[in-house]
Structures are given as structure tokens and as C-alpha cells.
Amino acid sequence: MSQKLNLDLNAAIGLPQYDTPFLRADWPAPAQVKTLLTTRKGGVSRAPFAGLNVGAHVGDAPADVAHNRALVAAEAGRPVAYLNQIHSPDVVEAAQSVHTAPDADAAVDRSGAAACAVMTADCLPVLFCDRAGTVVGAAHAGWRGLAAGVLENTVAAMGVPAAEIMAYLGPAIGPDAFEVGQDVFDTFCLPLPQAEAAFEPIGGGKYLADIYALARLRLQREGVTQIYGGTHCTVLERDTFFSYRRDGQTGRMVSLIWLEKPEG
């Protein structure tokens, strides 16, 4: 199927249309806060990882992953601090993680020396900054990490009042595609009954979960009220995003945020 026909089909069913490898967060962040959200477009990886796969752990050719990561770093104009994501609530300093890929699922930075980065292919990437543009952060919020407190820990690690923080919810699995079981419902709703509003029962002990709504709820509970994004579905937007739930073996996108400090 041609790319133009794919775009026409997306338009016909109301899906966003993108013909670029890079997106940017749509939020009123300070000018020195920069973002980059990759799509599956561009890059050199071959099927089933085609094309801009940055995941080194999915079975893709290492040389292709390295090439794709170099493209991302060049677009960002600085080193990218990739993490070894383990669905944890752990947060590290991005500038100290460029060469180590520590076991963690979030990073913060005040230096501008590195880009905070989280990889996803259905899990929720959340980007953070403060209104003054002095600190940024990125969190990988799959449902396990979300339930374990990765967003709350990232907010705490930023070291500024929660009321000064804004968050951007990047491309993730949408509420019409995220089928979960009773265990996920219980994990969120037993300690926080308000979370029940993010689950739609579909019978047989199954639910459709809205991971964006769950993230908003947890951020708001911490005092973060400036929350943007949360409009994509990685499963349905198959021509734009990788989706593990849809395809199984597939690539990974990366969401970046960094501070661009003036020289001198």
C-alpha cells in the first residue's frame, strides 16, 4: 500500500497524518525547553523493525539501531541518555547516564548536557519541565511503572514545587485498544477508587483502560495541573507508531526532552 494511500485512509477514519520522522510536544513550555518524539518513519531498520527503531533489545541489527540513534542524537544536537527500562519507579540524572544505560525508567536534567530519553511502543512517555525552564524530566510509564509511582518520583526528583511543573503525555496505547484484566483494575482502583473512571468494563473480568486518564489522575494528586497531550493511539496509528500490542516483534520510538542553554 502506498504511503499516500495510507495517509488518505488515516484521514478518512479521523486519524492524524504525519509524513515526518520527528514530532514535537505541543505545549507552552519555555523557549529553552526542547522536545523530540520519534515516529517509525525514516531510519534504516528493516521489517519487522522498519524504519526508525532505536530499541537495541528487540532483535534488530545492532548497526541499524546505532545508525538510527545517531540520527536522533544529531537532530537533538546533544548526547541522548537511554535507559535500561525495567518498569520501575526509579529516576536517575540524565547527564550521568549517557554512557551507562542504568536500570531505571525516568531521568531528570538541569545541565543541558544530555537529553532525557524514554523508549516506548505502547507504554506512556511523559515529558516534564518547570515553568521557569530550569529542569526537565522524562518518564516511561507502562502500567506497572505508573502504578509503582514513576511519575510521582520524577516530580519529586525535579526539586521544584509541583504547581510549577507542566507535563506532556506522549504517544501511547489509546483507551479503545488497551484491554486489561482484573489484576490491573485492582492494582489502580483498590488504593485509589477514583481510578475506576479510567476503566470501562467489557465483560469476562476485562476492561478497556485509559492510561492517559490514569496518568492525569496521579499527576493531579501530586499537585501537577498543567497537563498536555494524550491524544494519540499507537495501536491504531499503525503507519506512524510502533506498537508491541499490535505487532509483537517491533521497534521502539523514543521521546526526548532537554534544556538548550545559551552559550558562554
Side-chain angles (χ1 to χ4, degrees), residues 130-257:
D130 68 322
R131 288 195 293 189
T134 65
V135 59
V136 295
H140 164 244
W143 75 262
R144 291 178 180 83
L146 187 59
V150 69
L151 298 187
E152 293 90 335
N153 287 0
T154 306
V155 168
M158 292 176 70
V160 296
E164 295 297 311
I165 293 174
M166 58 181 66
Y168 180 83
L169 310 183
I173 187 169
D176 295 326
F178 191 22
E179 182 179 319
V180 301
Q182 191 68 42
D183 58 333
V184 178
F185 179 90
D186 290 343
T187 296
F188 284 98
C189 298
L190 290 180
L192 189 63
Q194 303 97 301
E196 291 185 16
F199 292 86
E200 178 185 344
I202 56 175
K206 301 290 185 180
Y207 301 83
L208 289 177
D210 187 339
I211 199 167
Y212 293 128
L214 290 170
R216 289 188 188 98
L217 180 62
R218 298 183 78 98
L219 288 169
Q220 288 165 352
R221 189 175 60 167
E222 293 301 298
V224 178
T225 59
Q226 301 173 84
I227 306 171
Y228 305 89
T231 60
H232 290 288
C233 179
T234 48
V235 175
L236 297 181
E237 295 174 58
R238 62 174 59 245
D239 300 316
T240 304
F241 301 115
F242 296 115
S243 168
Y244 179 79
R245 180 161 294 216
R246 183 188 64 226
D247 298 327
Q249 189 176 31
T250 191
R252 298 293 186 273
M253 290 91 63
V254 65
S255 297
L256 311 179
I257 188 166

Side-chain angles (χ1 to χ4, degrees), residues 50-70:
L52 189 60
N53 167 48
V54 299
H57 62 294
V58 298
D60 195 3
D64 289 348
V65 176
H67 185 104
N68 292 338
R69 287 190 173 193

Side-chain angles (χ1 to χ4, degrees), residues 7 10-11 14-18 231-232 237 240:
L7 292 173
N10 283 353
L15 292 177
Q17 302 179 68
Y18 302 101
T231 60
H232 290 288
E237 295 174 58
T240 304

